[in-house]
Amino acid sequence: MAAVTVDSVEAATRHHPHARAVLSPAAAGAASPSHAYLFHGPPGAGKADAARAFAADLIADGAANPADARRRALAGVHPDMTWVRPTGAAEMLVGDIDEAVVMAATRTPFESRRRVFVIERADTLTDQAANRLLKTLEEPPPFAHLILLAGRIGDVLPTIRSRCLAVRFEALTADQLADHLIDEHACEPELARSSARLARGDARR
């Protein structure tokens, strides 16, 4: 079961105005969500937290029990949410996305009215894997939504990048990281500030 660190799009994007402007209307049902998003920004900026929270909102929308659907999506145990990580040492291989994304995206949702696929390290897709994913991005079923995560947008293959709505995440400042440590982890202020300076904008550190 995945750990839940940030459970709302508003919280996950509080330091990222561009991401909040793009995602909040779709998360709240005020705008139709795109079929594919590309979350890009430096490590530790909060892309994964935002992806999980956004995916949970998409899955909960229209569910018979929205609160339960959202809770299970945040925990990583909802059948209509798929989280894909590369198995290769430095690459996302065809086998990583073939069955988990390309084939699964053709099947109707199990419970919700949507299926959401989060693909980590999309900037490491091999040419073969990218070509396999391309048809899904070009002609997605109406119920399928893909969220791709990447460090640098320029490292994502142009064929993939051009078919996604780009969502920018900025590196966190030392003050923002310190506030996070104090608020979310009850860290002593002095330790939080010194740790935040050492992290150099990467919350994972």
Side-chain angles (χ1 to χ4, degrees):
M1 181 178 293
V4 179
T5 55
V6 177
D7 64 358
S8 74
V9 170
E10 290 296 312
T13 59
R14 64 176 177 164
H15 299 307
H16 307 286
H18 177 259
R20 173 171 289 198
V22 174
L23 300 177
S24 291
S32 298
S34 173
H35 72 281
Y37 295 86
L38 174 56
F39 288 15
H40 63 95
K47 299 184 298 294
D49 283 341
R52 192 177 299 281
F54 185 56
D57 283 337
L58 293 181
I59 286 174
D61 183 33
N65 185 335
D68 181 65
R70 192 169 187 281
R71 176 189 61 79
R72 287 185 290 141
L74 287 170
V77 296
H78 195 287
D80 292 320
M81 179 174 172
T82 302
W83 197 284
V84 181
R85 297 177 176 87
T87 58
E91 295 178 320
M92 178 75 75
L93 306 174
V94 173
D96 295 329
I97 56 100
D98 195 18
E99 177 61 32
V101 180
V102 177
M103 297 302 296
T106 65
R107 306 185 189 110
T108 56
F110 291 99
E111 298 179 15
S112 298
R113 63 174 184 165
R114 296 188 176 107
R115 297 193 71 167
V116 182
F117 304 87
V118 181
I119 303 173
E120 286 190 8
R121 292 171 56 195
D123 44 352
T124 68
L125 281 162
T126 63
D127 288 346
Q128 294 85 352
N131 288 335
R132 189 77 178 99
L133 184 62
L134 201 55
K135 184 173 178 58
T136 303
L137 289 173
E138 289 176 333
E139 301 174 10
F143 53 78
H145 301 273
L146 284 73
I147 304 172
L148 283 64
L149 311 182
R152 290 178 40 180
I153 192 169
D155 292 337
V156 179
L157 292 169
T159 51
I160 298 296
R161 189 171 68 229
S162 64
R163 289 164 175 81
C164 299
L165 177 59
V167 181
R168 185 176 67 252
F169 288 79
E170 307 288 353
L172 299 179
T173 66
D175 287 342
Q176 289 169 344
L177 286 172
D179 289 344
H180 174 74
L181 289 171
I182 294 168
D183 296 341
E184 303 296 330
H185 301 283
C187 189
E188 292 293 330
E190 185 175 349
L191 177 60
R193 286 191 290 270
S194 60
S195 298
R197 287 193 297 271
L198 292 171
R200 297 181 180 273
D202 187 343
R204 300 178 309 173
R205 294 179 179 175

